[in-house]
């Protein structure tokens, strides 16, 4: 078994709608590997990333808890670098909307390049050296669609990435 193989506990949120996730969507919701790689394999072309926001924001209490922050640090203001994007396959409408949150201490060393990605998918960087990453994941159904929130452990640095699978992706590609 490769050393970096990691089986992440899949958590389904209690607030999830009564209907389970569609079987066709599960591989996309649950992969331990790069979603970028899966999307590019599906579309047959490089992922197009459009940015709607990139900059510093204070972490919310919920985000601090999702990142595993505990104790007094929960009550202290904590800045993070936030990136909000839309991901396009071979379609004029976006397939995924995503938000990535990097606590400042996760941006040290070579991780600093995560602030200069521009249109490069984060997945190219996160999964450059390993096909899977240790992670913990929450899956829920929201008003925008099925969503997964993943806390990745990227060589000791924690990153929180949330992706929502938009109707265009689900209806057109998976027939659901
Ligand atoms: C985290 C990954 O990167 C994807 C690319 C993103 C970006 O460029 O902002 C955001 C979310 C991901 O769907 C991945 O490939 O799994």
């Amino acid at each position: 078994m490769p050393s970096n193989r990691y089986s992440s506990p899949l958590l389904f949120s209690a607030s999830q709608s009564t209907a389970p996730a569609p079987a066709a969507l599960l591989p996309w919701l649950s992969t331990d590997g790069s979603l970028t790689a899966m999307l590019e394999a599906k579309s047959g072309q490089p992922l197009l990333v459009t940015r709607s926001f990139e900059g510093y924001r204070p972490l919310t209490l919920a985000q601090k808890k999702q990142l595993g922050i505990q104790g007094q640090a929960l009550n202290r203001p904590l800045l993070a670098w936030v990136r909000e994007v839309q991901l396009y396959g071979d379609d004029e409408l976006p397939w995924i909307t995503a938000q990535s949150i990097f606590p400042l201490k996760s941006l040290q060393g070579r991780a600093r390049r995560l602030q200069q990605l521009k249109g490069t998918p984060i997945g190219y960087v996160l999964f450059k050296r390993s096909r899977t990453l240790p992670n913990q994941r929450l899956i829920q159904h929201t008003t925008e669609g099925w969503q997964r929130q993943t806390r990745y452990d990227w060589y000791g640095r924690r990153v929180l990435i949330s992706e929502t699978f938009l109707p265009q992706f689900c209806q057109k590609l998976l027939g659901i």
Side-chain angles (χ1 to χ4, degrees):
M1 175 77 79
S3 60
N4 64 2
R5 185 80 191 103
Y6 182 85
S7 60
S8 62
L10 269 188
L11 308 172
F12 280 82
S13 157
S15 64
Q16 170 194 329
S17 61
T18 49
L25 201 53
L26 280 177
W28 302 84
L29 290 167
S30 61
T31 179
D32 284 343
S34 170
L35 183 60
T36 296
M38 290 181 73
L39 293 170
E40 291 187 337
K42 190 73 180 176
S43 69
Q45 64 185 48
L47 195 64
L48 173 66
V49 180
T50 60
R51 290 168 289 162
S52 47
F53 177 82
E54 259 189 335
Y56 295 104
R57 277 191 197 144
L59 285 171
T60 66
L61 181 59
Q63 289 166 343
K64 289 178 189 172
K65 289 180 177 173
Q66 283 176 298
L67 283 161
I69 295 167
Q70 297 172 336
Q72 281 308 312
L74 282 174
N75 306 316
R76 281 197 293 271
L78 206 52
L79 265 190
W81 179 258
V82 178
R83 169 181 165 102
E84 294 174 349
V85 299
Q86 291 71 44
L87 306 179
Y88 292 75
D90 57 341
D91 212 329
E92 69 283 351
L93 292 176
W95 285 357
I96 308 278
T97 180
Q99 181 191 57
S100 302
I101 296 172
F102 308 92
L104 297 197
K105 71 175 184 178
S106 296
L107 291 171
Q108 290 158 6
R110 61 194 167 94
R112 287 187 57 77
R113 66 163 299 190
L114 290 167
Q115 286 184 284
Q116 291 110 24
L117 288 169
K118 296 188 172 60
T120 301
I122 291 178
Y124 286 9
V125 178
L126 288 190
F127 294 93
K128 183 174 181 180
R129 294 170 45 196
S130 55
R131 281 186 316 106
T132 62
L133 287 174
N135 66 75
Q136 286 199 349
R137 182 166 286 154
L138 177 73
I139 291 174
Q140 59 189 350
H141 192 263
T142 70
T143 52
E144 285 185 280
W146 282 97
Q147 181 185 81
R148 62 181 209 167
Q149 294 179 355
T150 310
R151 182 179 86 194
Y152 288 105
D153 179 341
W154 186 56
Y155 304 102
R157 300 174 177 88
R158 285 190 171 168
V159 178
L160 189 60
I161 297 183
S162 168
E163 293 125 338
T164 303
F165 292 79
L166 299 173
Q168 182 67 17
F169 178 76
C170 298
Q171 290 157 16
K172 177 165 178 182
L173 288 164
L174 304 177
I176 52 179

